[in-house]
Amino acid sequence: MKGSTATAEGADAALISRSLQEPDAFAEIFDRYAPALHRFAARRLGDEAADDVVSETFLNAFQHRRRYNAEYGTARPWLYGIATNVIRRRRRTEVSHYQASLRDGARPLPSGLVEDGVTTLAVNRPLVSAIAGLKAGDRDVLLLVAWAEFTYEETAAALSIPVGTVRSRLNRARTQVREALEANHG
């Protein structure tokens, strides 16, 4: 995704600006980012809720496109920020999704939750539990960095927080996950 981000640099701002006069131009933004946003939402809430998250994200983005800061260049952090807020409003669904994965060994775990090829619940259960136990802000930062491969700066832009806050939340989240995993194996 990072390679396509470079090619999207000025193009996103231009498309969003053009969409103010030609609303159909916004469809290209959707085409460019919807698949990755869907994967991100599915990892957090499951496939069933991901469609709704993507729809709500793009509806919100379209309705508020006049507020888009063209200095961002790429719309990626802006869209993931909106999606993260949509997911946060569905926090109970997210935590329930993780808890259901923990309770039901037959239930498939969210795709991509751990490295490909590592699929046993014995490995996934502690990780899912650790992620579910994080504060929402810490989880948002960790998952944007880990799953969406955002830089600290992109994460800060997406969540409208300072880069220093991204660093501290990420450090805290990594520490808590590591400690939870070590406690589980100890």
Side-chain angles (χ1 to χ4, degrees):
M1 184 72 195
K2 289 186 181 195
S4 66
T5 299
T7 60
E9 279 300 322
D12 289 351
L15 276 170
I16 292 169
S17 178
R18 194 173 94 216
S19 77
L20 296 172
Q21 301 302 316
E22 302 169 34
D24 289 346
F26 200 80
E28 193 170 329
I29 297 294
F30 179 87
D31 292 343
R32 186 175 292 160
Y33 295 104
L37 271 170
H38 190 277
R39 285 189 300 275
F40 181 73
R43 285 176 153 179
R44 293 194 64 175
L45 299 175
D47 284 328
E48 295 168 11
D51 290 337
D52 292 338
V53 169
V54 170
S55 295
E56 193 173 334
T57 297
F58 280 96
L59 177 61
N60 186 313
F62 182 78
Q63 290 173 337
H64 298 101
R65 66 194 188 280
R66 287 190 188 281
R67 296 185 198 161
Y68 175 73
N69 183 348
E71 291 178 18
Y72 288 153
T74 174
R76 188 171 173 243
W78 178 61
L79 292 169
Y80 275 80
I82 295 168
T84 298
N85 287 333
V86 170
I87 290 167
R88 190 176 292 147
R89 285 192 298 269
R90 296 167 178 254
R91 181 172 170 5
R92 287 188 196 135
T93 302
E94 180 181 27
V95 171
S96 295
H97 180 73
Y98 294 141
Q99 290 170 342
S101 294
L102 294 171
R103 281 192 310 271
D104 185 1
R107 178 188 177 97
L109 289 165
S111 62
L113 193 55
V114 294
E115 296 298 319
D116 291 339
V118 182
T119 58
T120 65
L121 186 59
V123 172
N124 289 321
R125 185 180 302 264
L127 179 59
V128 172
S129 179
I131 290 171
L134 295 173
K135 290 181 182 177
D138 294 351
R139 182 173 43 248
D140 292 341
V141 168
L142 177 68
L143 298 180
L144 282 171
V145 170
W147 289 348
E149 298 179 357
F150 270 32
T151 65
Y152 292 173
E153 292 77 13
E154 288 173 319
T155 303
L159 300 177
S160 299
I161 58 177
V163 172
T165 302
V166 169
R167 291 181 197 280
S168 63
R169 286 183 182 178
L170 184 59
N171 184 48
R172 184 172 45 243
R174 285 177 172 163
T175 299
Q176 289 174 346
V177 168
R178 183 177 54 251
E179 287 173 357
L181 293 175
E182 288 171 356
N184 190 279
H185 286 77

